[in-house]
């Protein structure tokens, strides 16, 4: 034991000397009268107390070295230096954040260039006592248009940099998409597979997955865009006949649009699709259904259908609508209410997401259509469900696309899909929303060496959703179900208020 202890101590001392040798003293630094330009831009952001370290690079790639010192207003400090990134020790980072919960951190950055060191004015990071959920689940996909390449569904621990695959399409031939959980609880899960082995996979209470054929003789097609009822008994789906085209000019080069779409609610216990004539009108495109926080309303987007033969896609504009839903009887209401009349403002709503505390509803607003991920003008708006008033989420928005989004389970954090980084790839950002609806500046998902990571990974983060724990998803069992020919069929029944 004494010998092992001596060896361990020797290795520790050797590592300490190695680290000291790799660290330069910031001396004779020129004092700059501006805050540093760093990548990602973490200046002035609000972060959850349990987030992974906000490692960063200098935005100016001519920098030879970067040095960062973080000091907490309630004590504690942290130092990192490197040739490319300020890479903070993860345990020391979490200790510092816990010590300064509800307070600010001061960050002093120095960068070495050919002419020597430069030290910049400090910037602050506010540590919110509101924690964020365990992790994030997303699809990684190349930004292609016609065929799928390698893709998969992955989960990321938000307190560290650990990422794990749930399932990848190297395990079967096809496309994997539309992953959904019940209020971020991974025990209830829906996952859609397209291609020659098409199916919808459903899992309840961490049980085995079952492959379903969701197409029936009374519905348009397969069920997509799932959203779980808070009870876990129901899932709202849409069925969409979707097409795409390419513009020869203009800022929105790709257009994805529906030529038909309906809504239905799936009763998990009875294995039945609940249909309402109000939600499957030929003259209306209905899509993106979501349940309210109390489970007694169904919100969705709806637009007037184009006349047959018309190709005026820029005239399709969706409003935010609502209909009653009775979870005790599984019946759908008899009246549709327009909650946000975007069409009258020459705008269009997509991706409604109510906060789990029932206070707000976040949605995407674009010029037209419902597939806003290709619309550079798309921004996020926040609807106050108590007052009925909407306003743009200025802290979350940028000059480029903001599209898909989801709430954390405590309704204090929003994950936002944005193309602000380079205009091409969708990255996840996070912002804090307080009880009054005040939105903080969004920050990018942390990586250990952000520039190296995001430039080296030519993939978009698609449909990010929070998870409260590891998914415990058995990819081998799921792949077996996908590759098997068996599919369980959905039943159908009418479900309307008398």
């Amino acid at each position: 034991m004494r010998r092992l202890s001596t060896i361990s101590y020797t290795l520790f001392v050797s590592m300490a000397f190695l680290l000291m040798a790799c660290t330069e003293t910031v001396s004779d630094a020129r004092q700059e009268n501006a805050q540093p330009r760093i990548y990602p831009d973490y200046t002035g952001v609000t972060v959850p107390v349990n987030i992974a370290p906000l490692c960063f690079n200098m935005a100016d790639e001519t920098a030879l070295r970067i040095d960062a010192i973080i000091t907490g207003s309630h004590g504690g400090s942290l130092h990192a230096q490197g040739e490319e990134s300020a890479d903070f020790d993860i345990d020391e980072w979490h200790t510092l954040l816990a010590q300064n919960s509800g307070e600010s951190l001061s960050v002093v950055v120095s960068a070495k260039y050919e002419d020597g060191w430069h030290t910049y004015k400090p910037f602050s990071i506010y540590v919110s006592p509101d924690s964020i959920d365990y992790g994030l689940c997303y699809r990684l996909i190349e930004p292609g248009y016609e065929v799928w390449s390698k893709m998969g569904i992955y989960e990321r621990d938000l307190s560290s940099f650990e990422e794990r695959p749930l399932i990848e399409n190297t395990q079967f031939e096809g496309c994997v998409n539309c992953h959904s959980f019940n209020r971020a609880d991974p025990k209830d899960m829906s996952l859609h597979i397209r291609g020659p082995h098409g199916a919808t996979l459903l899992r309840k209470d961490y049980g085995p997955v079952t492959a379903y054929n969701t197409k029936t003789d009374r519905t348009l097609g397969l069920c997509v865009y799932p959203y779980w009822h808070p009870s876990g008994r129901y899932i709202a789906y849409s069925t969409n006949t979707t097409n795409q085209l390419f513009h020869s000019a203009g800022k929105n080069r790709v257009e994805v649009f529906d030529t038909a779409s309906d809504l239905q609610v799936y009763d998990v216990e009875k294995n039945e699709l609940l249909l309402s004539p109000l939600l499957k009108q030929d003259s209306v495109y209905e899509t993106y259904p979501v349940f309210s926080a109390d489970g007694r309303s169904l919100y969705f987007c709806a637009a007037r259908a184009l006349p047959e033969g018309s190709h005026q896609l820029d005239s399709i504009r969706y409003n935010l609508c609502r209909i009653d839903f009775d979870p005790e009887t599984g019946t759908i209401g008899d009246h549709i209410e327009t909650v946000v009349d975007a069409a009258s403002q020459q705008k269009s709503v997509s991706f409604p997401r109510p906060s789990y505390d029932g206070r707000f509803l976040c949605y995407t607003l674009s010029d037209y259509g419902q597939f806003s991920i290709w619309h550079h003008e798309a921004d996020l708006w926040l609807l106050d469900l108590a007052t009925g008033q909407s306003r743009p989420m200025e802290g979350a928005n940028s000059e480029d696309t903001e599209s898909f989004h989801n709430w954390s389970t405590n309704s204090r954090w929003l994950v936002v899909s944005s193309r602000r980084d380079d205009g091409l790839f969708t990255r996840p950002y996070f912002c804090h929303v307080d009880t009054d609806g005040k939105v903080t500046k969004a920050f990018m998902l942390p990586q250990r060496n952000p520039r190296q990571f995001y430039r080296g990974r030519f993939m978009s983060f698609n449909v990010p959703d929070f998870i409260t724990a590891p998914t415990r998803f058995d990819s081998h069992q799921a792949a077996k179900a996908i590759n098997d020919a068996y599919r369980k069929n959905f039943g159908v029944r009418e479900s309307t208020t008398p």
Side-chain angles (χ1 to χ4, degrees):
M1 293 297 290
R2 184 184 302 272
R3 177 62 176 167
L4 289 175
S5 179
T6 301
I7 292 174
S8 299
Y9 176 75
T10 303
L11 288 174
F12 173 79
V13 172
S14 299
M15 288 298 295
F17 275 116
L18 181 62
L19 290 173
M20 290 174 63
C22 293
T23 302
E24 293 186 16
T25 301
V26 178
S27 60
D28 301 322
R30 174 178 173 179
Q31 302 297 312
E32 301 290 347
N33 193 31
Q35 291 182 339
R37 291 181 58 249
I38 60 174
Y39 176 83
D41 180 9
Y42 290 142
T43 60
V45 299
T46 295
V47 301
V49 67
N50 57 331
I51 196 67
L54 300 190
C55 305
F56 55 85
N57 313 94
M58 293 300 293
D60 183 352
E61 296 184 45
T62 63
L64 304 175
R65 201 163 190 83
I66 181 173
D67 183 279
I69 298 174
I70 304 181
T71 305
S73 57
H74 269 195
S77 64
L78 200 57
H79 179 229
Q81 187 183 116
E83 292 184 358
E84 291 189 36
S85 67
D87 183 359
F88 301 103
D89 179 86
I90 191 167
D91 292 329
E92 294 178 1
W93 169 269
H94 285 301
T95 298
L96 182 66
L97 263 59
Q99 186 175 352
N100 291 275
S101 176
E103 301 294 335
S104 292
L105 307 175
S106 177
V107 186
V108 176
V109 175
S110 300
K112 184 180 181 181
Y113 292 91
E114 291 288 352
D115 63 350
W117 284 97
H118 296 243
T119 297
Y120 299 86
K121 291 180 64 176
F123 66 88
S124 62
I125 295 174
Y126 178 74
V127 183
S128 171
D130 294 324
S131 62
I132 203 165
D133 289 320
Y134 157 78
L136 197 67
C137 190
Y138 43 81
R139 180 172 68 156
L140 288 177
I141 182 173
E142 295 179 358
Y145 312 126
E146 297 180 358
V147 297
W148 55 72
S149 182
K150 181 182 177 182
M151 67 173 71
I153 307 295
Y154 301 82
E155 65 178 62
R156 160 73 186 268
D157 183 344
L158 289 176
S159 66
S160 72
F161 302 105
E162 184 179 354
E163 180 186 82
R164 297 177 295 274
L166 273 65
I167 190 168
E168 297 173 310
N169 69 343
T170 54
Q171 299 172 268
F172 61 92
E173 182 184 358
C175 167
V176 56
N177 66 350
C178 289
H179 57 281
S180 177
F181 308 97
N182 182 12
R183 293 190 171 212
D185 189 341
K187 74 176 188 296
D188 294 341
M189 181 178 179
S190 174
L191 179 64
H192 189 58
I193 309 297
R194 289 189 293 183
H197 302 283
T200 292
L201 305 183
L202 291 180
R203 181 179 76 172
K204 284 285 293 179
D205 298 321
Y206 285 123
V209 297
T210 301
Y212 287 84
N213 170 28
T214 60
K215 171 72 173 72
T216 76
D217 57 5
R218 295 175 60 184
T219 53
L220 279 175
L222 298 171
C223 291
V224 294
Y225 303 142
Y227 194 93
W228 289 79
H229 190 270
S231 68
R233 177 173 174 176
Y234 305 99
I235 308 174
Y237 286 108
S238 69
T239 56
N240 305 65
T241 302
T242 304
N243 292 273
Q244 68 176 357
L245 58 78
F246 302 88
H247 297 296
S248 60
K251 61 181 180 178
N252 299 326
R253 304 303 293 271
V254 183
E255 204 67 66
V256 179
F257 61 97
D258 291 338
T259 57
S261 57
D262 294 328
L263 303 182
Q264 53 270 309
V265 174
Y266 175 60
D267 186 330
V268 177
E269 291 183 5
K270 295 186 176 181
N271 188 36
E272 291 179 328
L273 282 179
L274 312 179
L275 305 183
S276 166
L278 290 178
L279 300 179
K280 53 194 306 291
Q281 302 180 61
D282 292 340
S283 61
V284 178
Y285 300 148
E286 304 100 344
T287 193
Y288 298 139
V290 293
F291 287 108
S292 60
D294 63 6
R296 296 194 167 275
S297 295
L298 188 67
Y299 290 97
F300 60 97
C301 299
R304 292 181 180 272
L306 285 179
E308 187 174 351
S310 173
H311 300 288
Q312 295 180 333
L313 300 181
D314 58 359
S315 68
I316 303 176
R317 293 188 170 92
Y318 288 77
N319 291 329
L320 177 64
C321 299
R322 189 199 70 85
I323 194 169
D324 290 336
F325 180 75
D326 185 343
E328 283 76 29
T329 61
T331 54
I332 299 169
D334 60 359
H335 173 71
I336 294 176
E337 171 192 357
T338 298
V339 179
V340 175
D341 185 0
S344 66
Q345 307 168 47
Q346 301 297 296
K347 293 291 182 180
S348 189
V349 172
S350 58
F351 302 131
R353 283 295 186 274
S355 60
Y356 297 123
D357 62 2
R359 184 73 173 83
F360 302 107
L361 184 146
C362 179
Y363 61 90
T364 305
L365 197 68
S366 57
D367 287 346
Y368 62 92
Q370 64 14 303
F371 208 78
S372 51
I373 195 169
W374 293 111
H375 283 237
H376 295 281
E377 81 283 357
D379 276 334
L380 298 184
W381 282 62
L382 191 67
L383 168 64
D384 188 325
L385 292 173
T387 66
Q389 299 298 310
S390 289
R391 62 179 184 275
M393 300 182 70
E394 294 181 358
N397 292 325
S398 71
E399 296 301 314
D400 215 308
T401 306
E402 275 71 53
S403 54
F404 195 83
H405 46 272
N406 265 314
W407 292 90
S408 64
T409 54
N410 61 6
S411 300
R412 296 282 72 85
W413 298 96
L414 197 72
V415 59
V416 179
S417 298
S418 178
R419 287 192 170 169
R420 72 187 69 183
D421 187 27
D422 56 16
L424 298 173
F425 295 95
T426 305
R427 317 290 194 203
Y429 289 73
F430 303 91
C431 59
H432 184 267
V433 184
D434 70 13
T435 54
D436 295 323
K438 182 180 178 181
V439 182
T440 62
K441 177 180 176 180
F443 66 93
M444 189 189 287
L445 175 66
Q447 307 294 347
R448 191 171 291 284
N449 186 331
R451 184 159 55 220
Q452 184 181 84
F453 180 92
Y454 287 115
R455 286 194 175 179
R457 186 178 236 181
F458 300 110
M459 308 283 278
S460 283
F461 290 73
N462 186 249
V463 192
D465 195 3
F466 289 103
I467 47 176
T468 56
T471 56
R472 292 161 47 184
F473 188 79
D474 189 334
S475 64
H476 298 292
Q477 193 266 341
K480 183 178 179 181
I482 294 169
N483 289 311
D484 192 293
Y486 173 75
R487 297 291 182 266
K488 188 173 181 178
N489 292 316
F490 276 1
V492 179
R493 71 180 172 93
E494 292 293 329
S495 177
T496 54
T497 301

